[in-house]
C-alpha cells in the first residue's frame, strides 16, 4: 500500500539568542594556545558555549542531548570540562576538539555540583537526589555512591593531601567522608539553615561556609598529629566515683581520630540575603561571594607570613599605646593582642554589576591581576579586572556580552518575505537576525513589544507594544522612524492585509483599527518616509486578543476575551459568524491559505478547527498540557503548528485531525513561533531565553511508525526507572555502587547474553561436526562460518564475546554484568581463563572477573563444576598480572632514563639558545636606535 499522504519531518537546526543559561555556573577555560582569562564556558540550554570575551564571539559549542546543563567544571589540566545535566548524567568533553568520549550516569536527578581532585584523576558529583558519587576518570567508571544527606548537595570538595571529602547540602549539614573506608566520620550541625556554599582556605586548614544569612562562618580544621596512630588506645587512668561526670569530656569520638573542626568566628557580608554562590581562585588568595542582588563582594585571604607581620605591627602599636598610657609607671604589663578572623580575611573590593548576579568565577593572573566573570540573571556575561596589589583596588569592566541575545523573553517573531531575515522583539530591544549565519544584523531599542511584522519590501518593520503604540523602524539606518498612539490598552495583535496595502491592529481597548501604508515627506530631509494612516475602527464589547484577515480579504476574524471568535465582513464590517465553544479565551488563531478553515488555540489547552463557510466546528482536539500560546498554518497547506506552555511545539493535519509530529527542545514555556513564507524553516521563542531554528527535511513521516517510536521511548524510560541494582549478600550502607540501571546497561547485558548464546551454539555445532567426522572416518567439508562472526570480522566465537564486552562503555560495565543472569556466568569464567592465558585485554578481563566473583561468590563457591576453572584462573591471573606489572615497571624505568637524558641534553641546548636570543635582541636594539637617529 502506498503512502496516502506524505508529511515531511522538521528537525532542530540551531539554538541562538541565549548567551548563558542561569541553571549552570560560569567557568574560565583555556583553549589551545589561548591566554588565561580570555575564554569563559557557560551553559546554553542543553549545549555549552565557549565565548571569547575579548572579541565577543562564540568559539566552540559542546553539543548536548535532550537535557539542560546544570553544572560545569574544567579539569585541573585545562584540557577537559566535565558537564552535568538535568537527568543526572555527566559527560566529559575535550576542549581540543569539542567531543565527548566519557560519560557517567549514576544520579536520578539534576547534577548540582562537580569537582575534580588536584590530579584530575577522580571526579565527585553531587545531585538533587541527595547522593554524592565519586568517579574514576582514568578508568571511566564509578567508584562508590555516598548516601547520608537529606536534601540537594550544594558543594563537594576533595582534599589535596588527605583522602578525605567534605560535602554541604540544603539539609543544613556539612559532612566529612573518609574515602579510604567510604564512610561519613563527622557531621557538622552548626548551621540553622541551608548551606549554600563552601570553600577551603589556609592550605586546607580552614573551612568557610555561606548560609541563608549575612554571616560567612569559618571553621578551623585540626588534623590528627602524626605521632599517634589511628585507633591507638589512650592510656587508661584510674577512675574513682568522684570523676564520673568528667568522663564525657575524656571520651574521644571516632571523628576526633581523623580531624577536629571548631568554629573560628565569622565574617559579615554587606548583603543581608542568602549566599547564592561563593568561589575562590585556584591559589585560594581571593574569595568572591554574592547574594541575590547585583553586588559581588571580594575578600583577600592573607598568607601565614603576612598575618604574622600584621600581628607584629599590632603588638608594636599596642605596646606603644600602653607605654603612653602608663607614663612613668614601671610595672607595665605586656599587652596581649588576639588574632581575629578579620586579620586573616580582609575586604578587598565590591563590584556592582549591571543586573542581578547568578554565578561568578575568578582567576588570578600574573602580576596580581584578578579577572572576574559574572553570569547575570538577564542573559548577560560581564568580565571585570582589578589589581589586588593596589591600596584601594578598583574594578574595571573589561567586556560585556549582550549582543547575541535579548535581556528578557522574546514575545514576538517574524520572517521576512525572502525567508532570510528573522525579527525577534522583547521588552527592551528588537533584533534582526540572518537566518543562515544566526548573526545579529540590527539591534534597536524599543518599548515592550507584543506583536510585529515586516512591511512589504522588508525595509521597515512595525511593532505593536504593551502601551498600545505602533513603532515603525527603518532597517537600513537602524533607527526608530515614528511612534503612533494606536490603542489605549495593550496592542495584542497585528496583521498585514493580503493586498499588502495596510495593516489591522487589535487592542485591549476593545477596538480593531484599520491602517493604510502611506509615504510622507520627512521634515528634516527631502526624502519620503513610510507611515500608517488610520482609516476605520471596529468597536467591540470585549478586549481583542487576536485578529486575522482571511487570505482572500473577504473576512476578518477577531478573538475576544469572552472566549468567542467573531467573524466580520472586511468591506462593510458587518457581523458574519460567532465561533463559541472554548471554555477559556482564545489566545491565537489562523486561517488557511484557501480561506476555508480557521483554527483556534485557547488557554483551555484545546485546538478547534472550524469551517469558515458556516462556522461549524469540524473537530476539537486536546493539543497541549498547558495553554496554547501560538498557532500558524504552514503556507499553501492545511497543516498547522501550535506552541504551548508545556514546552512543546506540535504539527497537526487540519483535514485528518491528526497529530503529525512533536518538536521537543525548549526547556520552558514556548511563547511564539514564526514559519517562513516557503514553509522550510520555523523559529520559536521560549522563556528559557533561547530562539530555536527548525528545518524541514526531505525525510517522510509515517504516522504509525511515529506512534510506535513514541511507545518504545516511553517503555525504555520506564525500564530505566527500575530499582537500583542490588549486590546479593550486601546490605545497604552509606556507600553503595555508583552506577545506575539505564536502558544502555540493559541493552549491553542483552548483547553479552546474545554473544554467549552464539558461542554456545557455535561450540555445539563444532562438537557435532567433530563427532560426524569421527563417525564417517574421514574429514568432512568444514562448517560455514556464522554470518555474525563474518560481519564483525571475529576469528572465533570466543573472541567475538570479548569484542562485545569491550564495546560496553567502561562506566556501564559493572551494572551490565550485574543484570546478567547466573547461568551465563560459568561460560564467562571459562572464557576469561582462555583470554588470560592468551594475554588478551588482561586488565578488562580481570575487572570483569573480580566483579563477577564478588557478586556471585556464594553460587560460584558452592558449585563443584567451577572449582577447577577457579583454580586455573587463580594461577593464570596471578602469573599474567605479575608479567604485565614487570613490563610496566621496565617501561616506566626506560621512560625515566630517556627523560633524564633529554633533560641533560636540553640544558646544553638551552644555553646555546640563550646566547642566540641575546644576539638577536642586540641586533634588534641596534636597528631601532638607527631608525630613531634617522628620524631625528
Amino acid at each position: 500500500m502506498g503512502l496516502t499522504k506524505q508529511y515531511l519531518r522538521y528537525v532542530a537546526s540551531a539554538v541562538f539568542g541565549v548567551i548563558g543559561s542561569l541553571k549552570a555556573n560560569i567557568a574560565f577555560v583555556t583553549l589551545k594556545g589561548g591566554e588565561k582569562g580570555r575564554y569563559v564556558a557557560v551553559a546554553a540550554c542543553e549545549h555549552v558555549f565557549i565565548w571569547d570575551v575579548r572579541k565577543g564571539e562564540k568559539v566552540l559549542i559542546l553539543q548536548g542531548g535532550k537535557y539542560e546543563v546544570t553544572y560545569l567544571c574544567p579539569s585541573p589540566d585545562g584540557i577537559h570540562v566535565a558537564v552535568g545535566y538535568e537527568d543526572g548524567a555527566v559527560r566529559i568533553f575535550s576542549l581540543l576538539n569539542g567531543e565527548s568520549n566519557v560519560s557517567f550516569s549514576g544520579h536520578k536527578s539534576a547534577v548540582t555540583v562537580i569537582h575534580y581532585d588536584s590530579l584530575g584523576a577522580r571526579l565527585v558529583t553531587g545531585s538533587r537526589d541527595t547522593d554524592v558519587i565519586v568517579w574514576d576518570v582514568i578508568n571511566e567508571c564509578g567508584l562508590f555512591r555516598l548516601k547520608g544527606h537529606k536534601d540537594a548537595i550544594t558543594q563537594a570538595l576533595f582534599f589535596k593531601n588527605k583522602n578525605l571529602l567534605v560535602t554541604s547540602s540544603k539539609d543544613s549539614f556539612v559532612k566529612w567522608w573518609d574515602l579510604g573506608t567510604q564512610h561519613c566520620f563527622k557531621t557538622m550541625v552548626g548551621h540553622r539553615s541551608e548551606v549554600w556554599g563552601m570553600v577551603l582556605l589556609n592550605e586546607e586548614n580552614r573551612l568557610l561556609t555561606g548560609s541563608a544569612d549575612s554571616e560567612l562562618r569559618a571553621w578551623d580544621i585540626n588534623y590528627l598529629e602524626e605521632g599517634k596512630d589511628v585507633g591507638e588506645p589512650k592510656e587508661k587512668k584510674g577512675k574513682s566515683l568522684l570523676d564520673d561526670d568528667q568522663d564525657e569530656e575524656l571520651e574521644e569520638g571516632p571523628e576526633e581520630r581523623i580531624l577536629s573542626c571548631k568554629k573560628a568566628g565569622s565574617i559579615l557580608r554587606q548583603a543581608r540575603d542568602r549566599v547564592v554562590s561563593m568561589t575562590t581562585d585556584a591559589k585560594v588568595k581571593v574569595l568572591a561571594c554574592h547574594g541575590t542582588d547585583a553586588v559581588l563582594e571580594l575578600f583577600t585571604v592573607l598568607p601565614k607570613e603576612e598575618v604574622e607581620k600584621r600581628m607584629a605591627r599590632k603588638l608594636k602599636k599596642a605596646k606603644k599605646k600602653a607605654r603612653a598610657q602608663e607614663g612613668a609607671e614601671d610595672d607595665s604589663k605586656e599587652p596581649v593582642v588576639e588574632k581575629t578572623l578579620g586579620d586573616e580575611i580582609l575586604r578587598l573590593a565590591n563590584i556592582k554589576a549591571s543586573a542581578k548576579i547568578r554565578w561568578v568565577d575568578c582567576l588570578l593572573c600574573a602580576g596580581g591581576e584578578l579577572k572576574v566573570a559574572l553570569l547575570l540573571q538577564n542573559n548577560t556575561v560581564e568580565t571585570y579586572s582589578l589589581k589586588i596589589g593596589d591600596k584601594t583596588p578598583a574594578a574595571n569592566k573589561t567586556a560585556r556580552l549582550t549582543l547575541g541575545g535579548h535581556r528578557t523573553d522574546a514575545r514576538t517573531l517574524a520572517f521576512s518575505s525572502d525567508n532570510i531575515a528573522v525579527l525577534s522583539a522583547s521588552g527592551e530591544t528588537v533584533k534582526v537576525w540572518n537566518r543562515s549565519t544566526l548573526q545579529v544584523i540590527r539591534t534597536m531599542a524599543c518599548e515592550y513589544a507584543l506583536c510585529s511584522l515586516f512591511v512589504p519590501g522588508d525595509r521597515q518593520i512595525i511593532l505593536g507594544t504593551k502601551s498600545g503604540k505602533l513603532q515603525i523602524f527603518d532597517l537600513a539606518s537602524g533607527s526608530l522612524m515614528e511612534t503612533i498612539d494606536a490603542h489605549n490598552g495593550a496592542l495584542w495583535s497585528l496583521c498585514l492585509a493580503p493586498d499588502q496595502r495596510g495593516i489591522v491592529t487589535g487592542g485591549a481597548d476593545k477596538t480593531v483599527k484599520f491602517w493604510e501604508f502611506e509615504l510622507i515627506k520627512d521634515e528634516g530631509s527631502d526624502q519620503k518616509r513610510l507611515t500608517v494612516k488610520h482609516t476605520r475602527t471596529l468597536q467591540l464589547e470585549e478586549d481583542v486578543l487576536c485578529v486575522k484577515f482571511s487570505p482572500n480579504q473577504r473576512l476578518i476574524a477577531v478573538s475576544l476575551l469572552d472566549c468567542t471568535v467573531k467573524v466580520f465582513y472586511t468591506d462593510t464590517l458587518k457581523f458574519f459568524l460567532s465561533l463559541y465553544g472554548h471554555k477559556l479565551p482564545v489566545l491565537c488563531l489562523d486561517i488557511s491559505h484557501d480561506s476555508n478553515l480557521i483554527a483556534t488555540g485557547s488557554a483551555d489547552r484545546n485546538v478547534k478547527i472550524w469551517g469558515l463557510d458556516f462556522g461549524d466546528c469540524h473537530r476539537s482536539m486536546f493539543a497541549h498540557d498547558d495553554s496554547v500560546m501560538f498557532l500558524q498554518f504552514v503556507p499553501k497547506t492545511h497543516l498547522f503548528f501550535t506552541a504551548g506552555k508545556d514546552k512543546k511545539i506540535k504539527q497537526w493535519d487540519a483535514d485528518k485531525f491528526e497529530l503529525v509530529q512533536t518538536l521537543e527542545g525548549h526547556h520552558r514555556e514556548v511563547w511564539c513561533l514564526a514559519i517562513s513564507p516557503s514553509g522550510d524553516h520555523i523559529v520559536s521563542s521560549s522563556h528559557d531565553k533561547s530562539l530555536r531554528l527548525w528545518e524541514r527535511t526531505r525525510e517522510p513521516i509515517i504516522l504509525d511508525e511515529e506512534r510506535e517510536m513514541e511507545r518504545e521511548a516511553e517503555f525504555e524510560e520506564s525500564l530505566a526507572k527500575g530499582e537500583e541494582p542490588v549486590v546479593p549478600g550486601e546490605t545497604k550502607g552509606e556507600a553503595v555502587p555508583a552506577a545506575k540501571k539505564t536502558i544502555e546497561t540493559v541493552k549491553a547485558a542483552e548483547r553479552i547474553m546474545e554473544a554467549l548464546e552464539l558461542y554456545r551454539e557455535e561450540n555445539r555445532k563444532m562438537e557435532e561436526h567433530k563427532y560426524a567426522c569421527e563417525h564417517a572416518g574421514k574429514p568432512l567439508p568444514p562448517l560455514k562460518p556464522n554470518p555474525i562472526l563474518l560481519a564483525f570480522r571475529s576469528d572465533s566465537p570466543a573472541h567475538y564475546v570479548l569484542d562485545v564486552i569491550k564495546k560496553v562503555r567502561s562506566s556501564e560495565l559493572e551494572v551490565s554484568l550485574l543484570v546478567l543472569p547466573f547461568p551465563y556466568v560459568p561460560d564467562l569464567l571459562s572464557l576469561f581463563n582462555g583470554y588470560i592465558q592468551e594475554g588478551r585485554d588482561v586488565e578488562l578481563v580481570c575487572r570483569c572477573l573480580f566483579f563477577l566473583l564478588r557478586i556471585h561468590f556464594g553460587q560460584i563457591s558452592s558449585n563443584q563444576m567451577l572449582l577447577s576453572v577457579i583454580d586455573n584462573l587463580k594461577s593464570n591471573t596471578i602469573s599474567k598480572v605479575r608479567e604485565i606489572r614487570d613490563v610496566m615497571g621496565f617501561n616506566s624505568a626506560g621512560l625515566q632514563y630517556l627523560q633524564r637524558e633529554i633533560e641533560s641534553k636540553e640544558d646544553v641546548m638551552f644555553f646555546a639558545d640563550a646566547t642566540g636570543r641575546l644576539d638577536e635582541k642586540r641586533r634588534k636594539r641596534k636597528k631601532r636606535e638607527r631608525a630613531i637617529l634617522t628620524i631625528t
Side-chain angles (χ1 to χ4, degrees):
M1 190 184 92
L3 295 175
T4 48
K5 186 163 186 181
Q6 195 175 27
Y7 305 108
L8 294 176
R9 189 182 296 284
Y10 282 83
V11 294
S13 166
V15 178
F16 61 107
V18 58
I19 291 167
S21 295
L22 301 180
K23 274 217 166 165
N25 57 321
I26 185 169
F28 278 111
V29 292
T30 44
L31 292 187
K32 194 168 52 180
E35 60 185 272
K36 266 188 162 187
R38 182 169 178 175
Y39 303 101
V40 293
V42 286
C45 300
E46 68 271 29
H47 306 306
V48 175
F49 287 172
I50 312 286
W51 291 93
D52 179 340
V53 288
R54 187 181 294 174
K55 290 184 180 172
E57 287 175 4
K58 210 181 293 171
V59 287
L60 186 64
I61 298 176
L62 308 179
Q63 296 282 346
K66 184 177 160 188
Y67 295 97
E68 255 182 307
V69 173
T70 55
Y71 206 86
L72 305 170
C73 179
S75 64
D77 61 7
I79 295 170
H80 296 96
V81 61
V83 182
Y85 293 91
E86 183 75 43
D87 63 336
V90 177
R91 287 169 72 190
I92 296 176
F93 287 88
S94 163
L95 289 173
L96 303 175
N97 53 18
E99 286 174 9
S100 156
N101 298 324
V102 183
S103 66
F104 302 125
S105 66
H107 292 292
K108 291 196 197 77
S109 56
V111 176
T112 52
V113 64
I114 303 177
H115 268 285
Y116 278 94
D117 67 355
S118 56
L119 292 173
R122 288 181 304 177
L123 193 68
V124 62
T125 60
S127 163
R128 216 182 285 151
D129 65 6
T130 75
D131 290 352
V132 175
I133 301 182
V134 180
W135 306 90
D136 182 342
V137 177
I138 296 164
N139 206 11
E140 298 179 19
C141 67
L143 295 173
F144 41 81
R145 179 192 302 264
L146 301 170
K147 289 174 167 288
H149 283 292
K150 299 278 182 289
D151 207 336
I153 311 296
T154 54
Q155 187 60 289
L157 301 167
F158 281 111
F159 282 72
K160 218 174 240 170
N161 307 318
K162 303 262 190 303
N163 196 19
L164 303 176
L165 179 75
V166 59
T167 59
S168 66
S169 164
K170 283 195 199 174
D171 61 6
S172 81
F173 297 138
V174 173
K175 283 183 178 283
W176 301 78
W177 308 84
D178 183 346
L179 297 180
T181 56
Q182 299 164 25
H183 81 290
C184 171
F185 64 85
K186 185 178 181 66
T187 301
M188 266 165 52
V189 290
H191 300 91
R192 293 198 189 94
S193 57
E194 301 98 327
V195 182
W196 289 104
M198 174 173 75
V199 288
L200 286 165
L201 309 174
N202 297 10
E203 292 166 3
E204 302 183 341
N205 287 321
R206 168 156 300 148
L207 185 72
L208 200 67
T209 57
S211 191
D213 49 19
S214 55
E215 259 184 83
L216 294 179
R217 293 169 178 77
W219 312 80
D220 274 341
I221 304 165
N222 295 312
Y223 300 102
L224 167 80
E225 320 82 54
E226 297 305 317
K228 200 165 210 183
D229 219 358
V230 177
E232 191 181 306
K234 289 207 277 186
E235 292 173 30
K236 285 201 173 178
K237 292 182 182 176
K239 208 195 311 185
S240 68
L241 292 168
L242 294 170
D243 42 44
D244 193 37
D245 53 340
Q246 295 170 3
D247 184 38
E248 283 179 27
E249 290 170 26
L250 299 172
E251 269 304 314
E252 188 189 51
E255 68 270 12
E256 304 299 332
R257 295 182 199 145
I258 298 173
L259 56 81
S260 65
C261 200
K262 291 185 176 64
K263 192 167 180 188
S266 59
I267 309 166
L268 278 174
R269 290 161 52 233
Q270 285 179 355
R272 290 272 161 269
D273 48 10
R274 76 171 179 91
V275 170
V276 173
S277 85
M278 197 170 150
T279 186
T280 62
D281 67 297
K283 289 178 181 156
V284 201
K285 285 187 179 174
V286 177
L287 168 75
C289 167
H290 68 91
T292 53
D293 54 5
V295 178
L296 176 76
E297 297 180 50
L298 293 171
F299 299 89
T300 178
V301 183
L302 297 180
K304 234 182 206 171
E305 305 79 51
E306 194 70 34
V307 175
E308 279 164 11
K309 277 184 197 169
R310 282 178 71 93
M311 294 318 295
R313 282 203 296 271
K314 257 193 175 182
L315 189 63
K316 205 174 178 183
K317 265 188 192 172
K319 279 181 181 174
K320 205 174 180 183
K321 200 175 178 185
R323 258 190 238 117
Q325 279 177 357
E326 295 295 331
E329 286 178 37
D330 296 331
D331 56 330
S332 59
K333 287 179 186 173
E334 188 77 14
V336 180
V337 178
E338 279 194 17
K339 188 161 69 172
T340 62
L341 199 62
D343 296 319
E344 297 176 47
I345 300 171
L346 306 178
R347 187 175 291 279
L348 184 65
N350 282 1
I351 295 177
K352 179 91 167 72
S354 61
K356 287 181 179 178
I357 304 169
R358 183 62 190 88
W359 294 99
V360 60
D361 194 25
C362 54
L363 183 71
L364 196 56
C365 300
E369 185 194 4
L370 180 76
K371 292 185 176 178
V372 178
L374 303 175
L375 176 61
L376 307 182
Q377 297 268 22
N378 64 353
N379 195 26
T380 307
V381 169
E382 287 185 347
T383 58
Y384 293 83
S385 92
L386 72 160
K387 286 267 194 288
I388 59 169
D390 297 356
K391 278 216 163 166
T392 51
N396 301 316
K397 190 184 287 187
T398 50
R400 186 161 186 251
L401 303 179
T402 56
L403 195 65
H406 290 281
R407 308 285 70 74
T408 52
D409 298 355
R411 297 307 291 252
T412 173
L413 295 166
F415 256 105
S416 63
S417 59
D418 57 5
N419 306 297
I420 290 173
V422 177
L423 176 156
S424 65
S426 68
E428 78 300 315
T429 52
V430 52
K431 288 180 184 281
V432 179
W433 310 76
N434 180 326
R435 193 211 73 236
S436 51
T437 61
L438 303 178
Q439 297 296 316
V440 181
I441 305 165
R442 288 278 180 275
T443 300
M444 299 161 281
C446 67
E447 289 188 31
Y448 197 117
L450 295 175
C451 49
S452 62
L453 55 81
F454 277 91
V455 175
D458 298 334
R459 290 186 181 179
Q460 294 89 9
I461 55 171
I462 299 181
L463 298 185
T465 70
K466 203 172 184 179
S467 56
K469 295 183 176 70
L470 277 174
Q471 291 190 311
I472 304 174
F473 291 87
D474 179 52
L475 286 185
S477 61
S479 59
L480 174 64
M481 287 160 60
E482 191 179 0
T483 302
I484 300 151
D485 290 319
H487 291 267
N488 294 330
L491 199 156
W492 286 113
S493 188
L494 190 61
C495 181
L496 183 69
D499 62 4
Q500 304 198 334
R501 290 183 180 177
I503 57 170
V504 61
T505 60
D509 58 356
K510 305 178 183 177
T511 57
V512 172
K513 292 188 178 179
F514 293 79
W515 310 77
E516 274 181 7
F517 294 131
E518 206 176 32
L519 284 171
I520 58 163
K521 211 167 191 186
D522 204 359
E523 287 108 38
S525 65
D526 299 337
Q527 303 253 319
K528 287 192 171 184
R529 69 172 173 82
L530 182 93
T531 185
V532 288
K533 187 176 81 175
H534 180 219
T535 54
R536 40 190 192 146
T537 305
L538 172 62
Q539 185 68 43
L540 295 153
E541 297 86 57
E542 290 286 342
D543 291 13
V544 177
L545 296 178
C546 191
V547 57
K548 273 279 187 305
F549 274 112
S550 67
N552 59 12
Q553 212 165 335
R554 201 170 76 91
L555 303 169
I556 184 166
V558 182
S559 143
L560 301 175
L561 201 60
D562 63 1
C563 312
T564 62
V565 175
K566 301 262 194 299
V567 184
F568 298 89
Y569 288 105
T570 310
D571 45 6
T572 60
L573 297 186
K574 280 188 176 172
F575 175 74
F576 171 49
L577 289 170
S578 177
L579 313 175
Y580 53 89
H582 283 291
K583 295 180 180 68
L584 289 169
V586 174
L587 303 177
C588 48
L589 60 90
D590 198 14
I591 300 170
S592 64
H593 70 102
D594 52 9
S595 306
N596 286 341
L597 298 174
I598 177 169
T600 57
S602 159
D604 64 7
R605 306 182 286 183
N606 290 309
V607 165
K608 290 183 192 287
I609 297 164
W610 319 74
L612 257 186
D613 34 13
F614 306 111
D616 54 327
C617 179
H618 291 186
R619 185 64 64 96
S620 177
M621 300 181 288
F622 182 75
H624 290 268
D625 297 330
D626 208 330
S627 306
V628 182
M629 296 306 293
F630 203 85
L631 185 151
Q632 191 179 344
F633 274 97
V634 178
K636 301 183 180 62
T637 67
H638 277 188
L639 303 174
F640 65 92
F641 278 93
T642 58
K645 273 192 178 179
D646 61 353
K647 314 174 195 175
K648 293 186 177 79
I649 297 166
K650 296 185 179 183
Q651 187 186 17
W652 307 82
D653 186 338
D655 293 330
K656 293 190 160 190
F657 318 120
E658 281 186 313
L659 171 64
V660 178
Q661 64 178 326
T662 304
L663 304 179
E664 291 187 55
H666 283 293
H667 301 286
R668 297 284 176 284
E669 302 93 320
V670 185
W671 296 128
C672 57
L673 54 87
I675 302 173
S676 66
S678 65
D680 286 337
H681 300 276
I682 301 171
V683 171
S684 56
S685 159
S686 161
H687 185 41
D688 61 14
K689 298 273 195 306
S690 72
L691 302 173
R692 280 171 194 265
L693 181 66
W694 312 81
E695 276 181 4
R696 183 160 64 186
T697 60
R698 312 284 358 124
E699 182 196 341
I701 290 179
I702 291 103
L703 294 182
D704 294 346
E705 279 182 19
E706 280 292 292
R707 303 295 161 266
E708 186 62 35
M709 277 157 65
E710 279 170 27
R711 283 194 291 274
E712 269 179 27
E714 251 175 59
F715 170 69
E716 287 183 0
E717 221 165 87
S718 66
L719 196 69
K721 280 181 184 166
E723 282 300 301
E724 275 179 32
V726 178
V727 179
E730 286 190 11
T731 52
K732 273 194 181 180
E734 282 177 330
V736 293
K740 69 168 184 182
K741 181 178 161 188
T742 61
I743 189 64
E744 276 79 23
T745 59
V746 174
K747 282 179 177 171
E750 282 175 0
R751 283 198 296 273
I752 295 171
M753 281 150 65
E754 281 166 13
L756 286 166
E757 294 280 2
L758 184 137
Y759 165 74
R760 284 175 184 172
E761 186 63 29
E762 288 299 299
N763 267 10
R764 189 180 57 75
K765 281 184 189 169
M766 295 285 277
E767 288 291 325
E768 282 176 7
H769 183 258
K770 199 174 166 190
Y771 178 71
C773 286
E774 281 172 12
H775 206 66
K778 60 174 181 182
L780 296 171
L783 286 169
K784 274 189 183 174
N786 192 303
I788 292 175
L789 297 182
L790 285 175
F792 287 98
R793 294 177 185 168
S794 294
D795 45 6
S796 75
H799 293 165
Y800 172 66
V801 175
L802 183 59
D803 288 342
V804 168
I805 293 172
K806 272 160 70 179
K807 280 177 189 159
V808 178
R809 267 203 197 135
S810 184
S811 55
E812 293 164 357
L813 187 60
E814 266 92 353
V815 184
S816 303
L817 291 172
L818 192 55
V819 175
L820 203 68
F822 182 73
Y824 292 97
V825 173
D827 285 344
L828 262 184
L829 293 179
S830 55
L831 279 169
F832 286 169
N833 199 12
Y835 300 149
I836 287 169
Q837 277 174 325
E838 291 173 29
R840 281 176 174 267
D841 295 282
V842 178
E843 283 178 49
L844 174 71
V845 170
C846 284
R847 187 179 153 196
C848 297
L849 170 65
F850 298 145
F851 184 74
L852 286 174
L853 288 175
R854 202 184 106 205
I855 60 170
H856 296 300
F857 177 74
Q859 281 164 296
I860 291 171
S861 56
S862 60
N863 193 332
Q864 293 293 321
M865 305 281 286
L866 289 175
L867 279 178
S868 58
V869 178
I870 295 293
D871 216 33
N872 290 343
L873 272 168
K874 183 183 163 189
S875 54
N876 291 338
T877 307
I878 290 167
S879 63
K880 209 71 190 172
V881 168
R882 216 170 262 151
E883 259 178 56
I884 290 172
R885 200 172 58 189
D886 292 346
V887 170
M888 279 180 74
F890 180 81
N891 289 348
S892 169
L895 287 169
Q896 281 166 5
Y897 169 73
L898 283 171
Q899 186 186 359
R900 286 194 297 274
E901 285 290 301
I902 290 164
E903 276 172 2
S904 61
K905 275 184 189 168
E906 262 185 355
D907 280 351
V908 181
M909 286 293 290
F910 177 68
F911 289 118
D913 244 14
T915 36
R917 276 187 201 153
L918 194 65
D919 291 346
E920 186 73 22
K921 269 187 185 170
R922 277 183 189 149
R923 227 174 287 134
K924 276 186 183 170
R925 196 184 298 142
K926 275 181 186 169
K927 213 185 240 179
R928 208 179 303 127
E929 282 167 2
R930 228 175 279 142
I932 291 163
L933 283 169
T934 320
I935 291 162
T936 51

